[in-house]
Amino acid sequence: VAVACPLITIGIVRTDRHVTEATPVQSSLNPSEQGTIEIAEEFAAGLTGLDGFDYAWLLTWLHGPDDNREQPPPLIHVPFLLRPQRRRMGIFATRGPRRVNPIGLSLVRIIEVSGRTVRFAGVDLVDGTPVVDLKPYVTHFDRVDGEVRSGWFDDVPLPAAVTPAQLGRPETDPADPSV
Amino acid sequence: VAVACPLITIGIVRTDRHVTEATPVQSSLNPSEQGTIEIAEEFAAGLTGLDGFDYAWLLTWLHGPDDNREQPPPLIHVPFLLRPQRRRMGIFATRGPRRVNPIGLSLVRIIEVSGRTVRFAGVDLVDGTPVVDLKPYVTHFDRVDGEVRSGWFDDVPLPAAVTPAQLGRPETDPADPSV
């Protein structure tokens, strides 16, 4: 397993959220709340043409300052949305931030592109999250029509703007004897 | 601009394609061709539960062995699908591989998850491409309904299984005096 893919931070996300436990778990569940992406001056020209799109994929780096990458997260753990059931799932069957490579994938609605700033709706990130890429949402490439199985997500409620804290205590909470 | 996000290769993509110029540009344009993802043994447990999903986001590292990361690609260039028009676009308004961080995002259909191998349909990657993440496609999170503007993609043909070579010569081709 090679470690040979260094990422460059191309910008930063600005939102009114500051703690992951109190931040909605998915942008589509929190589609009205707005934030901004500030692309670094040296990369701002790369935004040319983005204003023609209604949506974009925002790729971010979800590694918090207190996370330890020397010790990767467990490969099977309780994702936010399965906290009520205390049910574990493989990390590649979850959308949560605890992954081998903590790359976030947020589908955001583009409101305005102005200079090096992108105003968007659909906040699921804390303020200061580093941006590693931005790709346009292309209906012809990204929309899957018809009935699609979405695994365990088909069996759980997906409440609007739900936060991890509202779903229960973390798996590793030492105060919780059930895990 | 910090460079502090080292990626770990979690696996490798196996396909029958070997040259980017002769590989379809998007999985959705080449939905029948099959490939496999081989997850490294140490991360295979993370696949638990993925077989309940019909689709997944395959995140890859598109940095070829001959690419020079010391000199990043131009921020505005001609993407594959605009080669016929020789039209330039900002990299964050394209889905091509030449990006500040060459992370690929392929929407693939899951055919079978078996041990540490995922068989999929929708090939837009060359054999040997490193995998950096795998996320389930969740209809409730990822589908945008209704009319959505997809920028310049709305104005160009998106032929089935089209390859870069079929779209014209690369922008940097010294034999092409038009660029």
Side-chain angles (χ1 to χ4, degrees), chain B residues 155-172:
Chain B
D155 304 325
V156 299
L158 303 171
V162 71
T163 65
Q166 291 166 353
L167 289 158
R169 282 177 296 190
E171 185 179 14
T172 51

Side-chain angles (χ1 to χ4, degrees), chain A residues 1-2 75 92 100, chain B residues 8-13 37-47 115-118 131 134:
Chain A
V1 176
L75 295 170
F92 305 128
V100 179
Chain B
I8 295 166
T9 300
I10 63 163
I12 198 168
V13 178
I37 302 161
E38 293 174 7
I39 298 294
E41 193 60 51
E42 65 186 293
F43 301 123
L47 294 174
R116 61 191 190 88
T117 301
V118 180
V131 177
L134 193 58

Side-chain angles (χ1 to χ4, degrees), chain A residues 6 69 101 103 135 143-144, chain B residues 6 8 69 103 135 143-144:
Chain A
R69 276 209 93 207
N101 294 304
I103 300 172
K135 298 177 191 287
R143 180 146 70 194
V144 181
Chain B
I8 295 166
R69 276 208 94 208
I103 300 172
K135 300 176 190 287
R143 180 146 74 195
V144 181

Side-chain angles (χ1 to χ4, degrees), chain A residues 102-127:
Chain A
I103 300 172
L105 182 67
S106 302
L107 176 58
V108 298
R109 184 165 60 82
I110 299 173
I111 297 172
E112 189 186 25
V113 181
S114 172
R116 61 189 189 89
T117 301
V118 180
R119 198 151 57 88
F120 69 92
V123 168
D124 63 356
L125 296 163
V126 297
D127 187 56

Side-chain angles (χ1 to χ4, degrees), chain A residues 1 6 8-9 42 46 52-54 69 90 92 95 99 101 103 132-136 142-144 149-151, chain B residues 1 6 8-9 42 46 48 52-54 69 92 95 99 101 103 132-136 142-144 149-150:
Chain A
V1 176
I8 296 166
T9 300
E42 64 186 293
F53 295 82
D54 282 336
R69 276 209 93 207
F92 305 128
R95 293 288 286 259
R99 327 183 62 78
N101 294 304
I103 300 172
V132 296
D133 202 1
L134 193 58
K135 298 177 191 287
D142 297 322
R143 180 146 70 194
V144 181
R149 291 182 312 139
S150 299
Chain B
V1 177
I8 295 166
T9 300
E42 65 186 293
T48 305
F53 295 82
D54 282 337
R69 276 208 94 208
F92 304 129
R95 292 288 285 260
R99 327 183 63 78
N101 295 305
I103 300 172
V132 296
D133 202 2
L134 193 58
K135 300 176 190 287
D142 297 322
R143 180 146 74 195
V144 181
R149 292 182 311 138
S150 299

